[in-house]
Protein backbone atom coordinates (compact mmCIF):
# COMPACT_ATOMS: atom_id res chain seq x y z
CA UNK A 1 0.00 0.00 0.00
CA UNK A 2 1.10 3.52 -0.75
CA UNK A 3 0.39 6.64 1.25
CA UNK A 4 -2.06 8.92 -0.54
CA UNK A 5 -2.05 11.64 2.11
CA UNK A 6 -0.79 12.16 5.66
CA UNK A 7 -2.94 14.28 7.94
CA UNK A 8 -1.86 15.76 11.26
CA UNK A 9 -4.78 17.83 12.55
CA UNK A 10 -2.85 19.27 15.51
CA UNK A 11 -0.05 20.44 13.20
CA UNK A 12 -2.43 21.59 10.46
CA UNK A 13 -4.71 23.66 12.72
CA UNK A 14 -2.72 24.09 15.94
CA UNK A 15 -3.93 23.26 19.42
CA UNK A 16 -5.09 26.82 20.19
CA UNK A 17 -7.19 26.98 17.04
CA UNK A 18 -8.70 23.54 17.75
CA UNK A 19 -9.57 24.70 21.27
CA UNK A 20 -11.11 27.87 19.84
CA UNK A 21 -13.17 25.82 17.33
CA UNK A 22 -14.36 23.57 20.16
CA UNK A 23 -15.36 26.43 22.46
CA UNK A 24 -17.07 28.27 19.61
CA UNK A 25 -18.91 25.08 18.66
CA UNK A 26 -20.02 24.56 22.27
CA UNK A 27 -21.40 28.08 22.52
CA UNK A 28 -23.12 28.12 19.12
CA UNK A 29 -24.58 24.65 19.52
CA UNK A 30 -25.95 25.53 22.97
CA UNK A 31 -27.69 28.62 21.64
CA UNK A 32 -29.08 26.80 18.61
CA UNK A 33 -30.12 23.58 20.35
CA UNK A 34 -31.62 25.30 23.40
CA UNK A 35 -33.60 27.67 21.17
CA UNK A 36 -34.94 24.80 19.05
CA UNK A 37 -35.77 22.54 22.00
CA UNK A 38 -37.36 25.32 24.05
CA UNK A 39 -39.98 25.68 21.30
CA UNK A 40 -41.31 22.25 22.35
CA UNK A 41 -41.43 23.20 26.03
CA UNK A 42 -42.73 26.77 26.20
CA UNK A 43 -44.69 26.54 29.48
CA UNK A 44 -42.34 24.29 31.41
CA UNK A 45 -40.65 25.33 34.64
CA UNK A 46 -36.96 24.38 34.67
CA UNK A 47 -35.74 22.48 37.73
CA UNK A 48 -32.25 22.72 39.13
CA UNK A 49 -32.47 19.97 41.73
CA UNK A 50 -30.45 17.31 39.87
CA UNK A 51 -27.06 19.00 39.91
CA UNK A 52 -25.19 15.94 41.18
CA UNK A 53 -26.71 13.77 38.43
CA UNK A 54 -25.72 16.43 35.89
CA UNK A 55 -22.10 16.50 37.10
CA UNK A 56 -21.99 12.69 37.11
CA UNK A 57 -23.19 12.65 33.51
CA UNK A 58 -20.68 15.37 32.71
CA UNK A 59 -17.86 13.19 34.04
CA UNK A 60 -19.14 10.22 32.03
CA UNK A 61 -19.35 12.19 28.78
CA UNK A 62 -15.75 11.63 27.65
CA UNK A 63 -15.49 7.94 28.63
CA UNK A 64 -18.79 7.15 26.88
CA UNK A 65 -17.59 9.09 23.82
CA UNK A 66 -14.41 7.02 23.70
CA UNK A 67 -16.32 3.79 24.31
CA UNK A 68 -18.54 4.55 21.32
CA UNK A 69 -15.40 5.05 19.20
CA UNK A 70 -14.01 1.76 20.52
CA UNK A 71 -17.05 -0.51 20.01
CA UNK A 72 -17.15 -0.70 16.19
CA UNK A 73 -13.38 -1.15 16.10
CA UNK A 74 -13.49 -3.89 18.70
CA UNK A 75 -16.31 -5.71 16.94
CA UNK A 76 -14.93 -5.46 13.40
CA UNK A 77 -11.14 -5.36 13.82
CA UNK A 78 -8.83 -8.01 15.18
CA UNK A 79 -6.05 -6.09 16.89
CA UNK A 80 -7.29 -3.14 18.95
CA UNK A 81 -5.41 -1.87 21.97
CA UNK A 82 -6.51 0.76 24.45
CA UNK A 83 -4.39 2.65 26.91
CA UNK A 84 -5.68 4.90 29.68
CA UNK A 85 -3.65 7.67 31.27
CA UNK A 86 -4.03 10.70 33.49
CA UNK A 87 -3.27 14.05 31.92
CA UNK A 88 -2.14 16.75 34.36
CA UNK A 89 -3.05 14.28 37.14
CA UNK A 90 -6.65 15.33 36.63
CA UNK A 91 -8.16 14.24 33.31
CA UNK A 92 -8.51 10.57 32.43
CA UNK A 93 -7.69 10.10 28.74
CA UNK A 94 -7.98 7.07 26.52
CA UNK A 95 -6.01 6.20 23.42
CA UNK A 96 -7.35 3.57 21.03
CA UNK A 97 -4.74 2.02 18.74
CA UNK A 98 -5.49 -0.21 15.76
CA UNK A 99 -2.45 -2.17 14.64
CA UNK A 100 -3.60 -2.83 11.09
CA UNK A 101 -4.93 -0.36 8.51
CA UNK A 102 -8.72 -0.24 8.48
CA UNK A 103 -11.15 0.53 5.68
CA UNK A 104 -12.24 4.12 5.17
CA UNK A 105 -15.93 3.29 5.69
CA UNK A 106 -15.27 1.62 9.04
CA UNK A 107 -13.16 4.57 10.14
CA UNK A 108 -15.93 7.00 9.14
CA UNK A 109 -18.42 4.90 11.12
CA UNK A 110 -16.09 4.95 14.09
CA UNK A 111 -15.81 8.75 13.89
CA UNK A 112 -19.55 9.42 13.46
CA UNK A 113 -21.00 6.89 15.91
CA UNK A 114 -20.44 8.84 19.17
CA UNK A 115 -21.96 12.03 17.77
CA UNK A 116 -25.02 10.30 16.34
CA UNK A 117 -25.78 8.10 19.35
CA UNK A 118 -25.13 10.78 21.97
CA UNK A 119 -27.11 13.40 20.03
CA UNK A 120 -30.14 11.17 19.59
CA UNK A 121 -29.97 10.05 23.22
CA UNK A 122 -29.61 13.53 24.71
CA UNK A 123 -32.26 15.09 22.45
CA UNK A 124 -34.60 12.22 23.34
CA UNK A 125 -33.93 12.77 27.04
CA UNK A 126 -34.49 16.52 26.68
CA UNK A 127 -37.84 15.95 24.99
CA UNK A 128 -38.82 13.24 27.50
CA UNK A 129 -37.85 15.29 30.56
CA UNK A 130 -38.57 18.92 29.58
CA UNK A 131 -38.03 20.19 33.13
CA UNK A 132 -34.33 19.31 32.72
CA UNK A 133 -33.93 20.48 29.13
CA UNK A 134 -31.13 22.87 30.15
CA UNK A 135 -29.01 20.03 31.57
CA UNK A 136 -29.36 17.89 28.45
CA UNK A 137 -28.69 20.87 26.20
CA UNK A 138 -25.48 21.68 28.06
CA UNK A 139 -24.37 18.04 27.83
CA UNK A 140 -25.18 17.91 24.12
CA UNK A 141 -23.32 21.17 23.46
CA UNK A 142 -20.25 19.96 25.34
CA UNK A 143 -20.33 16.67 23.47
CA UNK A 144 -20.62 18.52 20.15
CA UNK A 145 -17.55 20.55 21.11
CA UNK A 146 -15.79 17.30 21.99
CA UNK A 147 -16.59 15.99 18.48
CA UNK A 148 -14.93 18.91 16.64
CA UNK A 149 -11.73 16.97 15.96
CA UNK A 150 -13.85 14.05 14.70
CA UNK A 151 -15.63 16.42 12.31
CA UNK A 152 -12.28 17.67 11.01
CA UNK A 153 -11.12 14.09 10.44
CA UNK A 154 -14.40 13.34 8.62
CA UNK A 155 -13.97 16.43 6.44
CA UNK A 156 -10.49 15.27 5.44
CA UNK A 157 -11.61 11.70 4.79
CA UNK A 158 -14.63 12.49 2.62
CA UNK A 159 -12.45 13.56 -0.30
CA UNK A 160 -10.18 10.53 -0.15
CA UNK A 161 -10.40 7.63 -2.61
CA UNK A 162 -13.35 5.31 -2.10
CA UNK A 163 -11.50 2.07 -1.32
CA UNK A 164 -8.72 3.56 0.77
CA UNK A 165 -7.45 2.40 4.13
CA UNK A 166 -6.65 4.45 7.22
CA UNK A 167 -3.62 3.90 9.41
CA UNK A 168 -3.33 5.87 12.63
CA UNK A 169 -0.12 6.93 14.31
CA UNK A 170 0.76 9.33 17.13
CA UNK A 171 0.90 12.46 14.97
CA UNK A 172 -2.30 11.82 12.99
CA UNK A 173 -3.18 9.35 10.30
CA UNK A 174 -2.23 8.18 6.82
CA UNK A 175 -4.67 7.53 4.02
CA UNK A 176 -3.40 4.49 2.14
CA UNK A 177 -4.36 3.22 -1.31
CA UNK A 178 -3.61 -0.12 -2.89
CA UNK A 179 -1.51 -0.18 -6.03
Amino acid sequence: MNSWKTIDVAKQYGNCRLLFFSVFTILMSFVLIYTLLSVFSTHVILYGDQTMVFFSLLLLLYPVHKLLHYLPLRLLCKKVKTSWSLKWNLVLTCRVNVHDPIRKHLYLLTLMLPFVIMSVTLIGCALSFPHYIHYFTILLSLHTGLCVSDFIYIKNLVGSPRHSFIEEHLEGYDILIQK
Side-chain angles (χ1 to χ4, degrees), residues 38-54:
S38 64
V39 168
F40 296 106
S41 58
T42 54
H43 301 292
V44 174
I45 298 169
L46 300 178
Y47 297 153
D49 59 342
Q50 298 296 327
T51 311
M52 293 306 293
V53 174
F54 170 72

Side-chain angles (χ1 to χ4, degrees), residues 75-132:
L75 294 173
L76 299 172
C77 291
K78 295 174 185 157
K79 298 178 182 176
V80 179
K81 182 182 176 188
T82 58
S83 58
W84 293 87
S85 63
L86 277 176
K87 201 173 208 179
W88 307 299
N89 291 328
L90 181 66
V91 180
L92 183 65
T93 60
C94 178
R95 177 114 176 110
V96 178
N97 295 322
V98 181
H99 297 289
D100 297 325
I102 59 173
R103 294 197 171 275
K104 172 185 162 181
H105 293 80
L106 175 60
Y107 198 73
L108 285 171
L109 172 71
T110 302
L111 290 172
M112 289 188 293
L113 191 67
F115 178 73
V116 171
I117 289 180
M118 293 293 286
S119 297
V120 168
T121 302
L122 291 171
I123 289 172
C125 288
L127 294 174
S128 299
F129 304 104
H131 296 289
Y132 301 106

Side-chain angles (χ1 to χ4, degrees), residues 19-21 35 44 53 67 77 81 83 101-102 107 122 124 127 130 137 142 152 160 169:
L19 182 64
F20 174 76
F21 286 158
T35 303
V44 174
V53 174
L67 179 69
C77 291
K81 182 182 176 188
S83 58
I102 59 173
Y107 198 73
L122 291 171
L127 294 174
T137 305
L142 290 170
I152 293 171
S160 66
H169 46 81

Side-chain angles (χ1 to χ4, degrees), residues 124-158:
C125 288
L127 294 174
S128 299
F129 304 104
H131 296 289
Y132 301 106
I133 196 170
H134 53 294
Y135 288 147
F136 295 116
T137 305
I138 292 169
L139 289 171
L140 182 56
S141 308
L142 290 170
H143 187 260
T144 304
L146 188 63
C147 291
V148 164
S149 61
D150 296 338
F151 298 148
I152 293 171
Y153 281 125
I154 290 169
K155 180 187 85 81
N156 285 317
L157 280 176
V158 167

